[in-house]
Each structure stands twice: as C-alpha cells, then as structure tokens.
Amino acid sequence: MPDTPQTNREDKTLMTRRAFLKTWSLPGLGLAFALMSSALMGSAVHAEARNWQEVLDTARGQEVYFHAWGGEPGINAYISWAAEKVSAQYGVSVIQVKVSDTGNVVSQIIGEKAAGRETGGSVDLVWINGENFAALKRAGLLAPPGWATSLPNWANVDVENKPTVALDFTVPTEGQEAPWGMAQLVFIHDSARVETPPKTLAELASCAARNPGRISYPQPPNFLGSTFLKQVLISLIKEPSKLQQPVNEATFDEDVAPLFAYLDALHPNLWRKGAVFPQDSAQMRQLLADGELDLAFSFNPGDASSAIASGSLPETVRTYTFDGGTLGNTHFVAIPFNSSAKEGAMVFADFLMSAEAQAHKQDPSVWGDPTVLNVAALPAPQKALFDALDLGPATLSPDDLGQVLPEPHPSWVSQLEKAWLQRYSDS
Amino acid sequence: MTLRTGKFWVVLPWVVLGLIQLVPLAAGAIGLVLPLAVSPASGPLAPGFSGQGQASAVQLLLAQPGLSKSVWLSLTTGLFATALAFAVVVLLLAGWIGTRTLGMLRRCLGPFLALPHAAAAIGLTFLLTPSGLIFRALSPWATGLDRAPDLTIVQDPAGLSLMLALTAKEIPFLLLMALAALPQTRCEDYLRTAQSLGYGRFKAFICLGLPDLYPHLRLPILAVLAFAASNVDMATILGPTLPASLSVRIVAWMNDPAADLRTAAAAGAGLQGLICAVCILLWLAGERVASTAVKAIAVDGARGRADRVWKVVGLSLTWALFALLSGAIVSIALWSVARGWFFPDLLPGSWTLGSWRKVLLQDTGPLVTTVVLAALSSGLALLLVIWILETMSRRQLHNGLAPRESSALRAMMFFPLILPQVSLLLGIHVWFLILRADGTFFGVLFAHLIFVLPYVYLSMAGPWYRLEPNLLRNAQSLGLSDSHSFLQIKLPMLLRPLLTAFAIGFAVSVAQYLPSLMIGAGRWPTLTTESVALASGGARRPAAVYALLLMVLPACVFILATLIPAAAFRHRRGMRHSR
Amino acid sequence: MPPHANTSSGLDLNAVHLQVEGKSLLTIDHVIAEQETLTVMGPSGSGKSSLLNLIAGFLPTSFTVTGDVRLAGRSLLGLPPQARHVGILFQSPLLFPHLSVGENLLVGLRSEALATGSWKLRRERLAARRTTAEQALASVGLDGFFGRDPATLSGGQQTRAALMRLLLSQPKALLLDEPFSSLDTALRGEIRSLTFERAKAASLPVLLVTHDLEDAEAAQGPVIDLGR
C-alpha cells in the first residue's frame, strides 16, 4: 500500500492488544481464526436475510465519503473512475476525501466516538491497513465483523495464495475490511545510470560507501520508511521467529541492535548525510527523476511503469527486489462503526474487488497496483481483462518478484519508529 | 423607542464581533486546557483506549524525542525571520523614503503579497534544491555537474531555508504596513528636519524617524513573529524534518491514532502558545534595549555617514529576495506544464496540460470550495467591518467628535493574528467536535472568518478614518440623513479601499491552510490543503498547478479591485489616487 | 539688486527657474546677503514651498530646475540635504517626540566624533554637550526644561526649542517656512523678533516664506511677491 503512514505510539496502548493477541499470535492459528470467523459471520449475515439486493436498494442515492490517502494523482484519478462507475451502475455517489495521513482519519473517528457521535459519522469508508486497522479494531470503532466476506466479489479473492488478504499484519481481518490491492516492497533504479543495483543489504551499504549521497530511505514513521526498517530487521535479527510475536520489551534493544548498527554505518553515506530524509515514495521517485537519488522504493510493483507512462520517470528505469525476498502485504477498505452510508460503502467496496475494477487498477497507465483476486480461477471473459493488460517495461512478473516476506507483528512498527526517532532526531 | 433601537444597532455589531473574535479565543483556551486537566484516557480527545500508566499530557509531551530541538527551531525561526524581515524593511525605508524607487517597489508588492505562503514554499523548493531551477540554469556549463549535487539546501536541519522563505515572504507585508502607516505619522517631517540638521538618511531614519513610525508597526510585527514561530504549511514543505518544528509536529500528533499522542498534541499546543509568548516578550525586551540605544546614539552629535553603501545594501537585499520569489513563481509555472523534465535540462523536455485539465475541468472541488469560501468569508467580514466602523463613527460624530480609530478595537482585531493558529484551532476543534460542526461548510467558513476579519478591518480602518470629517459634517448640514450620507457619500468615496479590503480578505482566505485542514475534517479540500499535501510528497506537477492557482486567484481579484474604481471614476481626477 | 559675480558669502539664488509638468512655476534671481532676510510672499500654489524644498534638498524629481543655488560660493544642487548646511524651520516645530527637550537640542548640537577616546574623556564630552544645550535653552527662557517632554510645552516654547536646536547645528543659511503662522498673535511678534535677532547674531542669510504681511514687515528686508 502506498504510504499510508504509520505512527508511533506509546506502548501502553498496546497492552490490550497484546493481551488479546497472546491467544492468537501464531500466524497459522490467526489465519484459521480469520477464515473460520469470516465464514461464520458471512453466514450470519445471510441468516439475517440481508441479501445483496437489499443492500443495493438501500445504497441507491447514498453519499459515501471515502477517506483515502490523496498524495498520488494517478490513484485519485482511479478512485474518480471507480466513483463514476458505481454512480452509473448503482446510484451510489462516492466522494473521495483526500487525506495526507490515514492516521488523521483514525483520530477523526476516535474524536467522533469521544463526542458521542454513534451515527452520522463523517467517515463512511476508509483506505487502511496494518497499525491503523489494528487501532480501530482494538477500540471497536469498525462496523461489525463479516460484512466484507459477505460481498459477492469476495468469492474471487485469492485467500489461499495471498494469505495477507485475511491477515493484516498478523491481525485477523474477520471480515471487517475488504481487500483492495496487493503491495510488495520493490526498488526502482535508472538502468542508464546504475547498471547493477544493490541486491542485498551488504551491497546497499557498499554501494552507498562507494558513491555517497545517492541512497536514502523515506523517513519513518512514513509507511515505506518503516517497511525498510522492518526489511533490514528481518534480514539481520538473530531470531527471526520473534517478529511473529509482539515485541518483548525486555529484549527489544538487543533484538534491534543489528539493525541500528547497520543504519549507524549507513547514515553517513546517505543522501544529505542522513540529516534529511525523503518524506514518502512520491518524493523518492521525484528525487530519482531529478538524479539526486539512485534508488527509489515503492510498495507497488507497477509504480515505475506508471511513472514512465506519465513521463515523470525516464524510460530507462527498472524495478527489482532483493535477493531473498522483500516485505509484502495487502491494503484494504474498512467501514467505521458510525458510517452514515454503510450500504453504499459496501457496494463501493464490492465494486473495488470486481474483476473490472481490479484489472483497471493493475493497468500501469492507470495505477499498476496488483490484484487481490485469483485471476486463474476467474471466468474467461473476466480473466481476459487481465490477460489484455500490458504491464509495461518496468514491471516485474509475479515470478520475478520473488519471495514475499510476511509483515512482523504490528507492535514492532511503533517500537521501531520510536527507537529510530529517538536515535536520529535527538542526536 | 428610537433610542432603544438605536442602542440595539450600536451594540449588535459588537456582539457579532465578540462571537467571531473573542468566543473562539475563550473556547480555544478551554478546549486546550480541558484535555490537560482530565486524564488522557477519559478526556474528550482520547476515548476508547484504556491505558495503563496514566501519564499526564505534559509528561507525554516531554517524552517525545527531539522535543527540545523542535522548540528551539520554532523559537529561532520566529525571531530570526522576523528580525531579518524588519531589518531589511528598515534599511529600505531609511535609504529610500520619499524616492521614486520606493514608489516603484510599492507597485511591485502586489504579486508578492498575493502569493500565499504555501505557494511560495512550493516554488522556493522547486527553485533552490540541488536539482532545482538555479542549479539547472548553471549546469553543466558553469558547475560542471551533469547530476544534481548532494547539498542540503532546503529542509536543512537548522531551518535556514525556512527562515529565508519566511523573511522573503514577510518583507512585502511589513513594507506595505509601513507604507500604509507613514501618512498617519510625521515620520517624513522628522526625517527632513533631521536631514536639515545635517544627518544622513540612515541615522536620521533609525534614530529620529523610526521611533515615530514603529508604534504603528508593532502589532503587524508581532503578528509576523507569532506566525513565523508557529507556521505549519511553510514549515511542512521547507522546514527540517528530523525533527520538524513544534507546530508541524503538533499537527502530526493530532492526526495520530494513538490517544496519548493526541493528548500530547494538546499539551504541545499549549507549549506553542508559550513559545509565541516568549518570542513576543523577547521582542518587546529587544525593543526596550534598542530604544535606549537609539536614544543614546541620537544625541551623540555624530552625523552618520556611509549612507550610499547602506542604501545599496538595503535595496539589493530587497530585490534579491523579490527575485527569489519571482524565480519561485517561474518554477511553479514551468512545473505545472512539464511532462518529462530531467536534470540538468533548463526547460522541460516535453510539455503537458494534463494537470491543468484535471484541476480546472475534472476535479474542480477544491477550486470551487476555495473560491466560495474566500468570497463568502471576505464579503461577510467586509459587511461586519463597515457596520462596526459606521456605528462607531456615527456615535463619535453625534457627540461632536471627529471619528477616531478605537485602539481597543484595533488590538482586539490583532488577537487572532498574534496567537499561534495551531493552538487556537486545536482548542476550537474540540468544541466543533462536540457541536458536530466539524467537517461542515459553515464550520470551515467560520474558522476562515476568524482570520479574514482582522485583515479586512486593518485594511479598511485606515482609509475610513482618513475620510475628511468635515466632508461628512458638510453632508449633514446639507440635510442628508446618516444613511444617505453613508450610502451616497461615504461608500462611493470608499469604493477603492472597500474593494481592496475585499481583495485582501479574499487572498487571506485563499491562503488559509490549518482552518480548512483542522475544522474541515478533510471534507472541504481547498487549493492550499491540496497543494501542501501534494508538495510535501513529491507530486510536483499537480502541486504546481494548485500553487499557481493559489496565486492567480487572489491576483485576479486584486486586478478587479483596481479596475472597477478606475472605470467608475474615470472622469473624477480627485478620486484617482487611493485615499 | 546686488550683482552675482563672485559672491562668496550669502545665499545666491542665481536665475533659478522652476518648472513642473511643463508648467513654469517661478523665477527668482537674488542674492541674500549674510544678516539679510529675503521675504517671499505669494498665495498657495505659487511655488513658495517648492523654492524652499529646492534649497533644502527635498524637491521631488518631477520638477525641472535651471539656474543655480549657491551657499558661500558652493553650489548646493548636487548635494544631499544633510551636506548643505541649510537649516529650516517648518510650520510646526517638529520636536522629536521620543526625546526630551534637551535631547532634541543635543541632536542639533554638532561635535567631533565621540566614539574615540577613553571612557572618562567621553563622559566629559557628554557633560560638556549637555551644558551647552542647557545654556542654549536658558538663553531663550527655557531654563530647567532639559528633561521635559516636548509634548508638554506650549507652541511658543516648542518653536523656541526648535530654533535653538537648529542654530546648534551651525547652519550657514536659514529657511523659514511660515514658522510663526501656528502661533497666537500675542506670541508671534516675540518669537519672530527672537528668530531674526538670533539669525542676525549668527550672520545667517535668511529666506522667509510667508503670506503674513506683518512677517514681511518685521523682516525688514527685500520682499518678492510671487502673486504679482
């Protein structure tokens, strides 16, 4: 997911979650729980006889305020396209509220809860995943479980091969958010300038040392920056299995010591000597275009091709991943507890999961975001939509993307961000 | 009966004014203290999360990494940017008062005044970064570079680029305030007197003219000071990020899902208020010292020399900063139509109108919201200001006094400008949440009005009180009623300042960032919020379109404000110059 | 009229001709000798003030000037106002409001650079300057006024202080821009004669601009009436 920035928090808010997750912390168990509960909830919804037609009827005429990160014109245009479609097909009008930080939306919902606004909330649907989802779920600020798995297009979602569609950063979604797209950390380089880009952390460090000032990473708590920290941590931590569990405060400093040793050595050779960091992936891409950076990060394997198509990156840029794989996850849409247009939001969420919307989204000249669907299992006419896509010169095929590394437990993110900020902003 | 209704009409505007100026102030203060007073877990900002260790808001704030750096940054940016801008304005006035050059500069101020801070910041980034327009213009022929160098220019950790931008942006404002105040002072007479006593321009102005002018500049300077110390939009784009200045971090904390950070934001807003207070106190203390020094130097008998050098320094500094802003505007214009534009090409390799098409034809929401908000808030502010001025003047005239500006009113108008916006709005936001007015159009309009009203008043009050009271007495003695004299004499005579005040209010509203962001709950995106969001990421092309519109819109209104009276009074020579 | 040739003292208005926007404003050709007062009369708009501004160095560039203005043999026209040594008394006394009456006189009082020298020497000089200012005040009946706020003085007192401030700056010519018009009739004569007397004592050429006939008569010098 492109830059839905995460935020650091004090550990005390993690306590409740930690207690809750102690039981369900093993990924396998969590997944089983997610699937089970989604099936159960789904049938419960059907049992209430809220069939889809009823939802569609209620949704007609509703206004859905869709709060979505608005920093990427291509994505905004895609959302406008989808909004026009649902307006024409279902009479639901979707208005994108462009937010610079999904954290804003979460705090807005919290604020409304505080002010006692149980209905008529200002957020009807929100683009979300990871820590923001965990925070809302924990506080009970989402629509009741099961709605997402009751959507007609859920049937086509590739639950089997893409476990993250139901397990958001190790937290079971329980049908409280509908998967929208897939993300995997990829690197973009200009092949005209750098022929053989660094493919391991060691190469990255030596590349920066040879050619100082040309490598950087987005500043945590930016989503992508934190992902980079996690990527490094996964590669360097002594006991990788610890990452699947909540942070152990007692050993945290020791666990992350290799990460910070790596960063301490890397920073003097970074862009601006590590005194300034790019703020997000869009800025990184712009800096790559400007020739200031040799490497840009993205969570969207189609990003580089889209940028070539829009003329904002030269045609010589290419995408690649690290040997040994990179982090990947799924991004979702969720309905808050007090949404004023729950049915309309469901209709839109369902449309976003449709083959038509997913194929259009994967087109690099549109957005280039990979699908959550099981394309192979789609009916022929819908599969054809995907087969017709020209993924562009700089997009890796699913095989070339290599191994997807699972996200660590969300508690790691906030702790890492805090430790990073402490270390590099106080110095 | 008539007396009663009369009283009612005298009192009403004050009530409305109080509603707009003072109630938010009180509400803001209470809204700020509320979350501090109650425990974070049960406060209005922080429900739902049962926390352990109930740290107080202040403790939470103090636990934030890099806090002292953020505070230091806010303090230094505020003080240095203000002091620099003031120094340049003083140099400029000292060297060039009464000359054609100053008149010419004054005519150049328009575009720079209309340039919103966010747009200026965006343009300066485009201009100054190592891959920006300046380096492109010099590469590779002069610098030998075929790649952008790795230099920390913008977002530098010490905040120098932010200070430079604030300085450049505040000089036009302070200069305008000074030029507007000059006719109300005897500064120029004192200057001549001092010159005829043998003093050079600089000693004459600084020691003998400025003390008369300065009281008129104090409030605008304090407003600049508070603004520079607490600004968010410029600091988001140009300021350091590791850590950012306090105001930027407050907004980030406020938008954090973690309850404790929201509480820390409230404490931070209090701290921001404190920072502004410290800045103001330091400034006032500096005033004292400077005033003593100025007096001591004034009476030492030395006549002061080196005029010519300082004259050139003042003017070149001003032109350099104006050139910087102009370069920023050019960069914005280029990026708004650039397609592929790679270093070191001076001009884009391919062009596109795609971003413009998107903003003007497809995604018009922010544009429409901006125009409607600006027109309504400025229009309402103008009505209210005239209403207040007219009732006050009538009362004074009826008591046989020449209408005079109430200094209490003036000070009151400056309140919202001297308080840090982020603190005030954070406090108000709590109430908007409770009243469910956040995210509504009228909520945003009200928030805009708080900040538009003072500027409309300040630009209107001068011309209003410069109207010849005898002219109005004449009208009275000719048998015109108050309303007739208001409608047929005052309003037509004040057409030009009225339109100018409207244009200023319009420009102020267009440039508002935090009110739209914080009260609008993201539902009322404006050109400013969109451009800051896009520019703080790297989406240059759409950010450039928004930034350019931010400048063009107020400029159009300013041009209309000049053309309409020119057309209306084309046969009236006495009305040709603004009064 | 006295001849112009080689006048090394006095204020020489040598064939001065003022034009603004192509319109001829005034022509004047006169040498004001030391201790002489030339009175220029005329209705408003006749260019009286422009003449003063020309001599003092405050004329806007929109004016076209031919001829020359010389003071003690030196042409003034290219010089900045502060280098002309032309003192001017305006209609209002214009005492600097942020300084005391005495400090206003100190502003006028010329002296060598104070910056150099030891601390003690500096203090002595400052004390000497203060004494000079106090004496000057006393000489026009303002003893003990050194520390007073100018705003608390009467109009006549302010004009006297302004006159002394001007004289302490050691001007080589004196311009009077209707400085008595704002005073009560009773006071006017007194201040007027004080001014002329002091100017004469300092051997200054004086140019008086007025539309008060009494002023002109009291000046006892030549009169040019621009209205005629």
Side-chain angles (χ1 to χ4, degrees):
Chain A
M1 154 155 205
D3 298 357
T4 300
Q6 297 264 313
T7 37
N8 53 336
R9 72 203 64 261
E10 302 288 318
D11 59 290
K12 71 180 187 59
T13 59
L14 297 172
M15 295 308 290
T16 47
R17 175 186 45 207
R18 188 174 304 161
F20 168 72
L21 279 170
K22 265 202 179 118
T23 340
W24 302 105
S25 54
L26 289 175
L29 263 182
L31 178 59
F33 174 83
L35 292 176
M36 200 173 66
S37 63
S38 62
L40 281 174
M41 295 299 176
S43 60
V45 168
H46 286 297
E48 281 168 26
R50 280 197 74 181
N51 65 45
W52 186 242
Q53 191 54 47
E54 233 173 273
V55 173
L56 287 179
D57 291 345
T58 322
R60 189 164 290 276
Q62 283 185 337
E63 281 190 343
V64 178
Y65 282 92
F66 177 33
H67 288 238
W69 179 72
E72 187 71 55
I75 298 176
N76 297 340
Y78 173 74
I79 294 172
S80 306
W81 170 84
E84 275 167 34
K85 288 281 178 184
V86 292
S87 168
Q89 287 176 25
Y90 306 106
V92 175
S93 68
V94 175
I95 301 112
Q96 184 193 358
V97 177
K98 298 188 189 96
V99 295
S100 59
D101 190 326
T102 305
N104 293 10
V105 187
V106 174
S107 57
Q108 198 175 326
I109 298 167
I110 292 171
E112 288 178 3
K113 176 77 180 175
R117 199 189 293 186
E118 296 288 331
T119 57
S122 58
V123 183
D124 298 323
L125 188 69
V126 55
W127 184 13
I128 201 165
N129 76 350
E131 183 57 4
N132 287 314
F133 171 71
L136 286 180
K137 189 181 179 212
R138 191 170 58 235
L141 298 178
L142 290 170
W147 67 264
T149 43
S150 75
L151 300 175
N153 282 317
W154 171 259
N156 298 326
V157 172
D158 193 355
V159 184
E160 199 176 327
N161 296 313
K162 295 168 180 160
T164 52
V165 294
L167 210 54
D168 187 358
F169 283 56
T170 72
V171 175
T173 65
E174 298 182 53
Q176 285 189 299
E177 50 179 358
W180 187 16
M182 298 296 293
Q184 187 181 347
L185 177 63
V186 296
F187 304 96
I188 305 170
H189 71 109
D190 188 347
S191 59
R193 215 155 50 211
V194 181
E195 271 176 41
T196 48
K199 290 205 153 187
T200 62
L201 287 177
E203 279 177 32
L204 186 73
S206 62
C207 170
R210 266 199 319 277
N211 208 353
R214 298 299 175 191
I215 303 285
S216 191
Y217 58 93
Q219 179 177 331
N222 171 273
F223 197 77
L224 208 55
S226 306
T227 301
F228 178 72
L229 298 187
K230 287 185 278 183
Q231 173 81 35
V232 177
L233 185 62
I234 287 174
S235 316
L236 299 179
I237 193 169
K238 290 202 183 77
E239 295 175 60
S241 63
K242 278 189 166 180
L243 294 175
Q244 293 308 313
Q245 300 178 21
V247 169
N248 178 351
E249 302 249 357
T251 60
F252 178 77
D253 288 343
E254 195 185 318
D255 292 338
V256 298
L259 161 69
F260 284 112
Y262 179 81
L263 292 182
D264 285 348
L266 182 66
H267 275 202
N269 297 325
L270 286 186
W271 182 71
R272 311 288 190 251
K273 300 190 170 52
V276 186
F277 287 85
Q279 296 301 294
D280 58 21
S281 66
Q283 192 185 354
M284 251 196 145
R285 214 166 48 231
Q286 183 62 57
L287 289 168
L288 178 70
D290 290 341
E292 294 208 27
L293 289 182
D294 277 343
L295 220 52
F297 299 2
S298 177
F299 237 138
N300 174 355
D303 229 3
S305 297
S306 308
I308 292 176
S310 71
S312 52
L313 278 182
E315 286 176 11
T316 44
V317 296
R318 291 294 176 266
T319 306
Y320 73 98
T321 60
F322 271 6
D323 297 341
T326 52
L327 274 172
N329 62 44
T330 303
H331 53 95
F332 302 83
V333 289
I335 303 177
F337 76 107
N338 62 353
S339 160
S340 334
K342 284 201 175 74
E343 294 77 12
M346 285 169 72
V347 170
F348 189 58
D350 184 58
F351 175 77
L352 292 179
M353 282 198 300
S354 69
E356 182 191 9
Q358 290 276 314
H360 190 61
K361 181 164 65 79
Q362 195 159 4
D363 185 341
S365 65
V366 175
W367 176 355
D369 191 49
T371 182
V372 295
L373 302 182
N374 183 355
V375 176
L378 286 175
Q382 288 166 13
K383 186 169 181 294
L385 292 173
F386 286 92
D387 294 340
L389 286 177
D390 172 10
L391 291 185
T395 308
L396 296 177
S397 70
D399 294 338
D400 293 331
L401 275 172
Q403 198 192 341
V404 178
L405 302 176
E407 291 276 357
H409 186 273
S411 58
W412 284 92
V413 177
S414 47
Q415 292 288 49
L416 277 177
E417 286 165 353
K418 215 179 136 196
W420 188 90
L421 217 63
Q422 200 94 50
R423 193 178 191 91
Y424 297 116
S425 72
D426 262 345
S427 56
Chain B
M1 189 63 204
T2 43
L3 189 73
R4 267 222 194 126
T5 51
K7 265 209 174 128
F8 173 73
W9 287 107
V10 168
V11 172
L12 188 62
W14 285 94
V15 172
V16 178
L17 184 70
L19 269 177
I20 296 177
Q21 301 294 92
L22 296 182
V23 169
L25 218 70
I30 298 170
L32 271 183
V33 173
L34 220 56
L36 299 181
V38 290
S39 76
S42 60
L45 287 171
F49 295 97
S50 60
Q52 299 188 334
Q54 307 243 324
S56 76
V58 176
Q59 281 169 323
L60 287 169
L61 175 69
L62 294 180
Q64 295 307 312
L67 184 72
S68 54
K69 267 193 187 176
S70 296
V71 169
W72 179 248
L73 257 172
S74 297
L75 274 172
T76 48
T77 349
L79 285 169
F80 282 126
T82 312
L84 264 174
F86 177 62
V88 173
V89 168
V90 167
L91 276 186
L92 198 64
L93 289 175
W96 301 90
I97 265 186
T99 64
R100 277 187 186 184
T101 312
L102 202 60
M104 202 169 73
L105 263 175
R106 181 184 199 151
R107 280 190 293 280
C108 295
L109 286 183
F112 303 123
L113 285 167
L115 180 69
H117 285 85
I122 291 169
L124 285 171
T125 309
F126 293 171
L127 185 67
L128 296 176
T129 46
S131 52
L133 202 59
I134 290 178
F135 272 91
R136 284 169 194 254
L138 298 176
S139 300
W141 61 273
T143 58
L145 297 165
D146 56 356
R147 281 196 70 177
D150 180 29
L151 297 172
T152 309
I153 300 175
V154 299
Q155 299 189 315
D156 58 297
L160 297 178
S161 54
L162 177 60
M163 280 180 221
L164 178 76
L166 280 165
T167 306
K169 188 62 193 76
E170 296 311 336
I171 285 174
F173 172 69
L174 285 182
L175 193 57
L176 179 79
M177 288 288 128
L179 291 174
L182 266 181
Q184 300 171 47
T185 68
R186 310 204 67 175
C187 182
E188 287 182 86
D189 291 337
Y190 293 131
L191 214 56
R192 288 179 174 204
T193 308
Q195 281 182 292
S196 76
L197 292 174
Y199 286 92
R201 291 188 76 106
F202 280 80
K203 185 161 180 186
F205 181 76
I206 292 168
C207 293
L208 302 168
L210 187 58
D212 194 42
L213 176 66
Y214 186 79
H216 295 260
L217 287 180
R218 181 179 287 119
L219 283 174
I221 286 175
L222 294 186
V224 166
L225 186 59
F227 178 86
S230 68
N231 158 278
V232 173
D233 41 355
M234 256 193 163
T236 302
I237 297 168
L238 280 174
T241 60
L242 195 59
S245 52
L246 184 65
S247 49
V248 175
R249 294 184 78 186
I250 292 172
V251 175
W253 292 333
M254 215 187 105
N255 293 329
D256 198 287
D260 46 4
L261 277 188
R262 290 173 57 81
T263 319
L271 180 59
Q272 181 70 61
L274 202 65
I275 290 177
C276 285
V278 168
C279 279
I280 288 175
L281 286 177
L282 282 175
W283 186 272
L284 295 179
E287 263 179 26
R288 285 286 173 85
V289 174
S291 139
T292 314
V294 154
K295 270 189 205 169
I297 296 168
V299 299
D300 71 3
R303 254 46 182 176
R305 293 281 170 255
D307 268 14
R308 201 161 295 166
V309 178
W310 285 112
K311 261 179 107 159
V312 173
V313 169
L315 192 65
S316 2
L317 271 177
T318 311
W319 280 127
L321 290 171
F322 282 9
L324 214 57
L325 291 179
S326 311
I329 296 170
V330 171
S331 316
I332 296 175
L334 284 174
W335 271 110
S336 78
V337 290
R339 193 167 176 276
W341 191 12
F342 305 112
F343 193 86
D345 301 341
L346 180 57
L347 292 174
S350 50
W351 308 79
T352 173
L353 283 175
S355 304
W356 280 101
R357 212 173 296 130
K358 207 159 276 170
V359 172
L360 291 181
L361 301 175
Q362 292 165 17
D363 200 4
T364 52
L367 179 62
V368 174
T369 308
T370 305
V371 172
V372 173
L373 265 179
L376 280 181
S377 59
S378 185
L380 283 174
L382 194 57
L383 280 178
L384 195 61
V385 162
I386 293 171
W387 189 8
I388 289 168
L389 288 174
E390 175 65 12
T391 41
M392 289 185 66
S393 295
R394 269 190 205 180
R395 210 177 35 186
Q396 286 169 327
L397 269 178
H398 283 262
N399 294 342
L401 302 163
R404 273 182 60 97
E405 187 177 7
S406 143
S407 53
L409 182 62
R410 190 179 168 87
M412 187 163 134
M413 285 294 180
F414 263 101
F415 260 139
L417 305 185
I418 288 177
L419 291 170
Q421 230 187 9
V422 63
S423 310
L424 187 62
L425 282 169
L426 198 124
I428 297 173
H429 184 238
V430 174
W431 293 97
F432 273 65
L433 275 178
I434 292 168
L435 298 171
R436 295 200 174 192
D438 67 310
T440 63
F441 181 80
F442 288 100
V444 181
L445 180 62
F446 181 77
H448 273 236
L449 200 51
I450 297 174
F451 301 101
V452 168
L453 186 68
Y455 285 101
V456 170
Y457 171 82
L458 292 175
S459 68
M460 203 54 230
W464 181 276
Y465 289 108
R466 250 173 277 145
L467 265 190
E468 204 49 62
N470 285 336
L471 209 69
L472 303 176
R473 292 208 178 104
N474 241 334
Q476 269 182 327
S477 60
L478 285 173
L480 279 151
S481 72
D482 276 351
S483 331
H484 270 101
S485 121
F486 173 69
L487 289 172
Q488 296 180 353
I489 311 277
K490 268 193 212 173
L491 284 192
M493 284 191 70
L494 288 171
L495 181 64
R496 187 187 300 270
L498 279 170
L499 291 172
T500 308
F502 177 82
I504 288 174
F506 191 93
V508 169
S509 165
V510 166
Q512 291 302 313
Y513 172 67
L514 280 183
S516 319
L517 186 77
M518 289 170 81
I519 308 297
R523 286 203 168 179
W524 300 101
T526 63
L527 296 176
T528 306
T529 59
E530 292 287 276
S531 65
V532 173
L534 289 166
S536 62
R540 269 188 204 160
R541 293 164 184 83
V545 172
Y546 283 123
L548 207 60
L549 277 176
L550 277 181
M551 207 184 73
V552 169
L553 272 184
C556 289
V557 179
F558 271 112
I559 290 172
L560 277 181
T562 340
L563 290 184
I564 292 174
F569 298 128
R570 61 190 181 280
H571 300 308
R572 299 285 177 276
R573 248 176 75 185
M575 295 296 297
R576 245 179 232 169
H577 299 288
S578 68
R579 313 184 126 256
Chain C
M1 231 174 245
H4 295 125
N6 295 326
T7 321
S8 56
S9 64
L11 181 63
D12 178 6
L13 306 173
N14 190 343
V16 170
H17 180 68
L18 268 181
Q19 265 190 319
V20 63
E21 287 169 4
K23 205 185 83 187
S24 184
L25 201 56
L26 72 87
T27 310
I28 197 164
D29 189 73
H30 190 96
V31 178
I32 309 168
E34 285 174 1
Q35 299 189 320
E36 181 190 51
T37 300
L38 169 69
T39 306
V40 174
M41 299 192 66
S44 39
S46 60
K48 301 184 306 248
S49 311
S50 304
L51 178 64
L52 290 188
N53 283 336
L54 169 72
I55 301 168
F58 302 127
L59 197 67
T61 44
S62 51
F63 285 83
T64 318
V65 184
T66 56
D68 197 5
V69 177
R70 306 176 76 84
L71 179 58
R74 191 172 63 136
S75 173
L76 294 183
L77 292 188
L79 296 174
Q82 63 266 28
R84 296 190 177 196
H85 294 272
V86 172
I88 181 163
L89 268 190
F90 295 99
Q91 282 171 13
S92 105
L94 291 172
L95 294 179
F96 303 117
H98 61 297
L99 303 175
S100 72
V101 174
E103 286 170 337
N104 262 280
L105 266 66
L106 287 180
V107 169
L109 179 57
R110 276 185 198 271
S111 75
E112 291 89 67
L114 268 172
T116 54
S118 70
W119 181 241
K120 191 174 165 224
L121 196 67
R122 214 179 128 81
R123 245 193 4 213
E124 276 170 13
R125 277 189 195 156
L126 280 176
R129 281 174 61 75
R130 185 179 167 122
T131 315
T132 314
E134 276 170 345
Q135 285 166 352
L137 280 174
S139 77
V140 290
L142 295 173
D143 346 23
F145 274 62
F146 190 93
R148 286 275 291 271
D149 177 358
T152 63
L153 268 58
S154 72
Q157 289 169 329
Q158 288 192 21
T159 308
R160 273 182 274 167
L163 175 67
M164 289 324 288
R165 176 178 69 181
L166 182 58
L167 293 176
L168 287 177
S169 77
Q170 301 164 11
K172 299 200 174 95
L174 186 57
L175 307 180
L176 303 175
D177 186 4
E178 304 191 43
F180 317 121
S181 59
S182 58
L183 300 174
D184 294 343
T185 350
L187 261 174
R188 201 177 291 171
E190 181 196 331
I191 303 287
R192 191 161 47 203
S193 46
L194 174 74
T195 308
F196 289 138
E197 176 193 308
R198 293 300 174 115
K200 199 159 268 177
S203 298
L204 297 176
V206 179
L207 175 62
L208 169 67
V209 157
T210 183
H211 46 243
D212 183 348
L213 260 177
E214 263 183 59
D215 281 351
E217 282 161 16
Q220 294 176 331
V223 176
I224 297 176
D225 192 341
L226 295 173
R228 243 172 247 162

